């Protein structure tokens, strides 16, 4: 099997770019600066239409922050999974931890069963666990199809050595997908570890067309986040990495 390419898409425009660039799968998200949250109902429906035969996975994450969820938030995750299934998604992406930084195996397994016949990716909550070897076994036992990981560091290249150990420990029992900082410059190096997929956004940005701008206001309340930059997935960045993966 060829190494797959998954695009983290925060907009319908980025879904189109993923399709045009030849990606194998879209991970559909909202909340870029939260690291990905559940997209809106309309976004999911329209993304399913846009992606066509491409695989579409929907992020199931009720908020930014940690991965320790209340009962109410867990109910919300269940409802979002059911909606994703109704709209014809191929899979969902989720991750739940307990207070001690361990995979919540019971809740994860419940969500995996609820999602069937969709596949489940356990996302980078994996990178926030206290023992990645224990976490690996828990995710496998819960029935997830794949793990998205950066090797417990901010970027894949920083976590490269740990990622190698994760692939080795998995022994083919679960798909391992490497993400965070993936680009054409390092795609071959990462793919050579034997991962099943690479995950990237192919992010670029363009300037807003607005002529009037108020530099005193940050809508998210966090200075430094650009208010007049429009982020999108770049077709050429996607196409370049996809081309590299043809050799793996």
């Amino acid at each position: 099997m060829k190494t797959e390419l998954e695009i983290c898409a925060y907009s319908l425009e980025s879904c189109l770019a993923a399709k045009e660039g030849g990606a194998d799968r879209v991970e559909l998200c909202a909340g870029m600066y939260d690291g990905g949250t559940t997209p809106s109902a309309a976004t999911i429906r329209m993304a399913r239409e846009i992606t066509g035969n491409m695989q579409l996975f929907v992020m199931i994450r009720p908020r930014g922050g940690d991965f320790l969820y209340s009962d109410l938030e867990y109910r919300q995750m269940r409802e979002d999974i059911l909606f994703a299934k109704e709209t014809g998604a191929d899979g969902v992406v989720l991750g739940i931890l307990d207070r001690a930084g361990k995979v919540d195996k019971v809740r994860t397994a419940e969500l995996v069963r609820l999602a069937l016949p969709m596949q489940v990716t356990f996302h980078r909550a994996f990178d926030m666990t206290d023992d990645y070897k224990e976490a690996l076994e828990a995710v496998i036992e819960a029935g997830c199809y794949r793990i998205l990981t950066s090797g417990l560091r901010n970027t894949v290249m920083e976590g490269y050595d740990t990622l190698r150990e994760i692939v080795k420990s998995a022994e083919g029992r679960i798909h391992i997908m490497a993400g965070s900082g993936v680009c054409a410059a390092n795609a071959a190096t990462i793919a050579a570890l034997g991962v099943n997929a690479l995950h990237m956004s192919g992010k670029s940005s363009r300037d807003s067309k607005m002529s009037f701008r108020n530099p005193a206001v940050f809508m998210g309340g966090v200075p430094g986040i650009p208010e007049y930059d429009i982020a999108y997935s770049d077709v050429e960045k996607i196409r370049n990495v996809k081309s590299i993966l043809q050799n793996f």
Side-chain angles (χ1 to χ4, degrees), residues 37-39 60-63 69-83 111 114:
T37 54
T38 306
I60 305 297
R61 188 180 174 204
R63 56 164 172 77
Y69 297 116
S70 68
D71 290 342
L72 184 62
E73 290 167 334
Y74 180 64
R75 284 177 54 197
Q76 181 181 345
M77 295 174 76
R78 293 177 60 90
E79 291 298 319
D80 283 331
I81 288 172
L82 292 174
F83 181 79
L111 295 185
L114 182 67

Side-chain angles (χ1 to χ4, degrees), residues 214-225:
N214 183 353
V217 175
F218 295 91
M219 296 303 294
V222 182
I225 293 180

Side-chain angles (χ1 to χ4, degrees), residues 5-206:
L5 178 61
E6 177 177 281
I7 300 304
C8 181
Y10 289 96
S11 66
L12 296 176
E13 177 186 357
S14 293
C15 290
L16 285 168
K19 186 174 183 179
E20 186 177 344
D24 300 285
R25 181 170 52 253
V26 163
E27 179 196 74
L28 186 66
C29 300
M32 177 183 295
Y33 295 106
D34 285 319
T37 54
T38 306
S40 72
T43 303
I44 298 170
R45 285 199 185 100
M46 293 178 71
R48 179 69 286 177
E49 295 174 6
I50 287 169
T51 53
N53 293 329
M54 285 181 64
Q55 283 195 327
L56 174 67
F57 276 52
V58 177
M59 174 63 74
I60 305 297
R61 188 180 174 204
R63 56 164 172 77
D66 64 30
F67 303 102
L68 178 66
Y69 297 116
S70 68
D71 290 342
L72 184 62
E73 290 167 334
Y74 180 64
R75 284 177 54 197
Q76 181 181 345
M77 295 174 76
R78 293 177 60 90
E79 291 298 319
D80 283 331
I81 288 172
L82 292 174
F83 181 79
K85 187 190 295 191
E86 290 170 6
T87 56
D90 299 288
V92 291
V93 183
L94 56 88
I96 306 180
L97 305 182
D98 64 19
R99 292 177 181 272
K102 299 184 184 301
V103 172
D104 187 331
K105 189 166 59 176
V106 172
R107 278 183 163 183
T108 301
E110 288 176 351
L111 295 185
V112 168
R113 288 192 293 270
L114 182 67
L116 288 172
M118 296 187 297
Q119 296 176 357
V120 173
T121 297
F122 196 94
H123 58 46
R124 288 183 64 212
F126 180 86
D127 293 324
M128 305 299 283
T129 58
D130 70 329
D131 183 329
Y132 75 85
K133 291 184 178 180
E134 181 181 339
L136 173 65
E137 299 305 320
V139 174
I140 291 172
E141 289 175 23
C144 294
Y145 186 84
R146 72 171 57 81
I147 293 171
L148 170 61
T149 177
S150 59
L152 283 67
R153 299 294 295 275
N154 279 328
T155 68
V156 176
M157 294 309 294
E158 291 176 85
Y160 189 83
D161 291 338
T162 302
L163 180 61
R164 178 192 290 111
E165 293 304 312
I166 292 169
V167 172
K168 181 179 178 181
S169 297
E171 297 179 321
R173 294 174 295 157
I174 189 170
H175 282 214
I176 303 298
M177 179 165 59
S180 187
V182 173
C183 62
N186 59 29
T189 301
I190 300 166
L193 289 176
V195 296
N196 302 100
L198 298 187
H199 170 96
M200 63 180 289
S201 66
K203 182 182 175 183
S204 288
S205 64
R206 60 176 177 269

Side-chain angles (χ1 to χ4, degrees), residues 223-236:
I225 293 180
E227 291 293 335
Y228 295 97
D229 281 354
I230 310 299
Y232 65 96
S233 294
D234 189 305
V235 172
E236 288 305 313

